Amino acid sequence: MAQPPEEWGLTLVRPTAYEYASSTIAPTGNRRALLRWYIQKREGYPVARLKICAASGCEEFALPGQSHCEQHEAERQNKLKVRRAKAQTSEAAIAARVLYADPRWKAARIAYLRQHPLCVDCGELGVIEPATDVDHIIPHKGDRKLFWDRSNWQSLCHSCHSRKTAREVFHG
């Protein structure tokens, strides 16, 4: 059984069948929930701080505030870093950087935001949020004609634009 870090000052012992059966409030069927409940009962330690790593088959405790142990969190961060680097080095990303650096784009973007000052996505939800980004509805992927097609533009707030862009880049 995995042990919590020494600085937490806890030692885990498997509860006996009697201890399982002696409580009417102990969770049943979920090993993780039962372990957390048992530790809280025995040590008076907050349950939220003792999560088991979300990686399949891992029995280590997750880092505080994280869902993975130290090893699996490092692996997750490395995978994310590789994915982000790959997205930035594609031909489309390089072509897009050139287009977005054009002074004509910067002027056209400001003019479009003046004409369309509210986020389209938030507006569909009934929320009034100022737009900060001009989004291409159909990703242009470096195509100049699609890039400059104003019927392909929409105003979005930064969080809506980030969510849409991440979905397009990482999920096709």
Side-chain angles (χ1 to χ4, degrees):
M1 178 185 302
Q3 293 293 323
E6 287 181 22
E7 62 266 17
W8 291 3
L10 294 174
T11 305
L12 300 183
V13 199
R14 285 201 188 275
T16 65
Y18 175 76
E19 288 172 306
Y20 281 161
S22 67
S23 172
T24 56
I25 61 166
T28 57
N30 184 331
R31 184 178 54 82
R32 288 180 183 201
L34 182 62
L35 177 62
R36 273 184 271 180
W37 170 85
Y38 180 74
I39 292 168
Q40 182 184 31
K41 181 180 172 201
R42 182 180 169 107
E43 306 289 338
Y45 200 79
V47 171
R49 300 217 20 217
L50 291 174
K51 288 173 38 179
I52 295 176
C53 179
S56 179
C58 183
E59 295 289 324
E60 296 298 317
F61 284 100
L63 296 170
Q66 301 287 327
S67 58
H68 293 88
C69 66
E70 191 171 355
Q71 174 190 351
H72 289 111
E73 182 62 22
E75 289 173 11
R76 193 181 74 77
Q77 289 295 331
N78 286 337
K79 282 183 186 176
L80 187 60
K81 191 185 297 182
V82 167
R83 251 181 28 196
R84 285 182 177 156
K86 183 180 175 188
Q88 290 299 316
T89 57
S90 70
E91 284 185 36
I94 293 168
R97 272 198 293 280
V98 171
L99 290 170
Y100 287 117
D102 187 339
R104 291 184 314 145
W105 164 252
K106 293 178 181 179
R109 175 192 166 280
I110 291 169
Y112 191 83
L113 287 173
R114 281 191 189 128
Q115 292 174 350
H116 305 92
L118 300 177
C119 175
V120 174
D121 283 357
C122 291
E124 290 175 358
L125 299 172
V127 176
I128 297 174
E129 184 70 28
T132 56
D133 299 344
V134 176
D135 175 61
H136 293 87
I137 300 167
I138 300 168
H140 59 84
K141 298 182 181 172
D143 177 4
R144 286 184 180 277
K145 185 176 179 185
L146 193 55
F147 181 84
W148 289 106
D149 180 6
R150 288 181 181 251
S151 65
N152 189 37
W153 294 0
Q154 65 180 347
S155 298
L156 296 177
C157 65
H158 186 70
S159 57
C160 288
H161 186 257
S162 294
R163 181 175 42 254
K164 179 181 181 285
T165 303
R167 194 179 316 120
E168 291 168 354
V169 170
F170 294 122
H171 303 291

